């Protein structure tokens, strides 16, 4: 009986020791530099991941989309400056729909365009304005589990949602600090259960809603402490519900539980490996084992891998002592 109790106690201790330190993300790789050639960037923004693992990057000031393998090998690009089909005037958010098309928020053309994964133009909607289906600088784009597309309408301080072909369905929000209001809603993401998370840039917070816009909660305040923000610009959700936020002016990524409890962070200002300078977009793989981060001023994409903290030698000593 004593041997059984010791074994049970040791197993419990091993489990508690293994999770004594929270999981973290560490630098894995990078690609990109300033320029106009393939694989180079001028103020990259949001990132979208295709089902096959390819990485699509909004190369905003080059007015194009580029895409790469999971480790940054160049595959293709499309777009140029203009207002025609397949042209852009700066790029905001990117998101793949369940139909396989890539949806692109065309910021200063005040519209959304969508394309095949290889960049063939497929459709568009939107003009400048304040009415239903009109935009004043559309930014973040995301899809709900039921296939509707949600668009952050930055200067109209609202979120609008549509069918995949752009038919208007509804909206919520207005300018302000109160719950459910926004001061520059920029990034948006949807959890597997349908909860929508919005990066409320000038209010330094994350707000979350139902798919019809009912307010559920918020967290964050201005500052550099854990859980505080200085200009949260993008948000993404891992498959387990973990919320990742590009905390732009704090030059870091923070991550949280679905209800906003702080879990961890990485990044300090700089241009070295693992350092960040104005992270402007992020995307989490379907396994949550890798996070891609675009940097507005370093003109590159870095990626980070999930790394569990192992059992320390001192902790192993405690376990061994049980068997003496």
């Amino acid at each position: 009986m004593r041997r059984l109790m010791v074994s049970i106690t040791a197993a419990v201790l091993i489990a508690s020791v293994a999770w004594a330190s929270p999981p973290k993300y560490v630098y894995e790789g990078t690609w990109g530099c300033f320029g106009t050639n393939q694989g180079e960037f001028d103020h990259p923004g949001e990132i979208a991941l295709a089902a096959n693992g390819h990485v699509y990057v909004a190369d905003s000031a080059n007015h194009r989309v580029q895409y790469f393998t999971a480790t940054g090998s160049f595959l293709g690009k499309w777009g140029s400056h203009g207002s025609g089909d397949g042209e852009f005037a700066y790029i905001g958010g990117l998101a793949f729909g369940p139909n396989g098309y890539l949806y692109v928020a065309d910021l200063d053309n005040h519209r959304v365009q969508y394309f095949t994964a290889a960049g063939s133009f497929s459709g568009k909607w939107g003009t400048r304005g304040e009415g239903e289906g009109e935009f004043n600088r559309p930014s973040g784009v995301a899809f709900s589990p039921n296939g509707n597309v949600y668009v952050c309408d930055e200067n109209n301080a609202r979120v609008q949602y549509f069918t995949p072909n752009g038919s208007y369905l509804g909206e919520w929000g207005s300018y302000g600090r109160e719950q459910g209001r926004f001061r520059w809603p920029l990034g948006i993401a949807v959890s597997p259960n349908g909860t929508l998370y919005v990066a409320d840039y000038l209010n330094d917070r994350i707000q979350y809603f139902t798919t019809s816009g009912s307010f559920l909660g918020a967290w964050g305040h201005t500052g550099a402490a854990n859980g505080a923000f200085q200009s949260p610009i993008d948000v993404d959700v891992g498959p387990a519900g973990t919320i990742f936020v590009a905390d732009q002016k704090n030059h870091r990524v923070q991550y949280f539980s679905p209800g906003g409890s702080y879990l961890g962070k990485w990044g300090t200002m700089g241009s070295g490996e693992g350092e960040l300078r104005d992270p402007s977009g992020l995307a989490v793989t379907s396994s949550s084992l890798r996070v891609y981060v675009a940097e507005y001023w370093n003109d590159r994409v870095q990626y980070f891998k999930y790394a569990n903290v192992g059992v320390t030698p001192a902790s192993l000593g405690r376990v061994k002592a049980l068997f003496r």
Side-chain angles (χ1 to χ4, degrees):
M1 178 62 73
R2 182 178 182 277
R3 183 182 296 275
L4 176 60
M5 291 302 296
V6 169
S7 298
I8 292 172
T9 304
V12 172
L13 181 56
I14 289 170
S16 64
V17 168
W19 291 102
S21 298
K24 64 178 181 179
Y25 287 82
V26 299
Y27 172 82
E28 187 177 9
T30 187
W31 75 88
C33 62
F34 176 77
T36 59
N37 295 322
Q38 63 185 36
E40 298 176 341
F41 301 108
D42 188 353
H43 297 342
E46 288 201 19
I47 299 172
L49 303 181
N52 62 4
H54 292 165
V55 181
Y56 288 70
V57 183
D59 189 6
S60 185
N62 279 328
H63 313 288
R64 66 186 182 184
V65 175
Q66 297 194 73
Y67 58 108
F68 306 85
T69 67
T71 53
S73 296
F74 176 81
L75 294 173
K77 60 183 173 68
W78 73 90
S80 59
H81 189 242
S83 58
D85 294 347
E87 297 176 335
F88 304 106
Y90 298 96
I91 298 175
L94 305 176
F96 274 99
N99 54 14
Y101 291 121
L102 181 70
Y103 288 71
V104 182
D106 190 2
L107 275 172
D108 286 344
N109 283 324
H110 311 288
R111 65 185 180 183
V112 174
Q113 299 189 72
Y114 54 103
F115 304 84
T116 67
S120 296
F121 174 81
S122 297
K124 64 182 178 183
W125 75 90
T127 57
R128 183 168 188 170
E130 301 177 353
E132 296 178 354
E134 298 175 337
F135 300 108
N136 190 341
R137 303 195 89 230
S139 49
V141 183
F143 278 83
S144 64
N146 64 6
N148 293 333
V149 56
Y150 290 74
V151 183
C152 289
D153 190 2
E154 180 183 326
N155 285 342
N156 284 327
R158 65 184 178 181
V159 174
Q160 297 191 73
Y161 56 107
F162 307 85
T163 65
N165 64 1
S167 297
Y168 174 86
L169 294 174
E171 66 182 79
W172 74 89
S174 59
Y175 189 85
R177 298 178 183 272
E178 298 81 7
Q179 65 183 37
R181 295 190 176 191
F182 305 106
R183 296 168 69 216
W184 285 14
L186 295 186
I188 187 168
V190 186
S191 72
N193 68 3
T195 302
L196 277 79
Y197 293 84
V198 181
D200 191 3
Y201 188 79
L202 293 181
N203 281 328
D204 292 316
R205 66 185 178 186
I206 301 296
Q207 298 193 71
Y208 54 108
F209 305 85
T210 67
T211 53
S212 59
S214 296
F215 177 82
L216 294 174
W219 75 87
H221 57 275
T222 303
N226 295 341
F229 301 108
Q230 292 192 64
S231 305
I233 191 170
D234 197 18
V235 59
D236 202 8
V237 184
T242 305
I243 312 302
F244 295 80
V245 181
D247 187 9
Q248 188 175 45
K249 297 305 178 183
N250 280 325
H251 311 286
R252 66 186 180 184
V253 174
Q254 297 191 75
Y255 50 106
F256 304 85
S257 72
S261 297
Y262 173 82
L263 297 176
K265 65 182 178 182
W266 73 86
T268 57
M269 185 176 179
S271 57
E273 293 180 353
E275 297 177 335
L276 301 169
R277 190 175 177 206
D278 286 54
S280 49
L282 55 79
V284 187
T285 63
S286 59
S287 63
S288 281
L289 296 179
R290 180 178 285 167
V291 180
Y292 294 88
V293 183
E295 296 176 75
Y296 191 80
W297 286 111
N298 280 334
D299 295 302
R300 65 182 180 181
V301 173
Q302 293 191 78
Y303 52 104
F304 301 83
K305 65 181 179 180
Y306 175 92
N308 243 339
V309 178
V311 179
T312 64
S315 300
L316 284 173
R318 292 174 58 200
V319 174
K320 292 176 180 178
L322 290 169
F323 295 93
R324 290 174 181 166

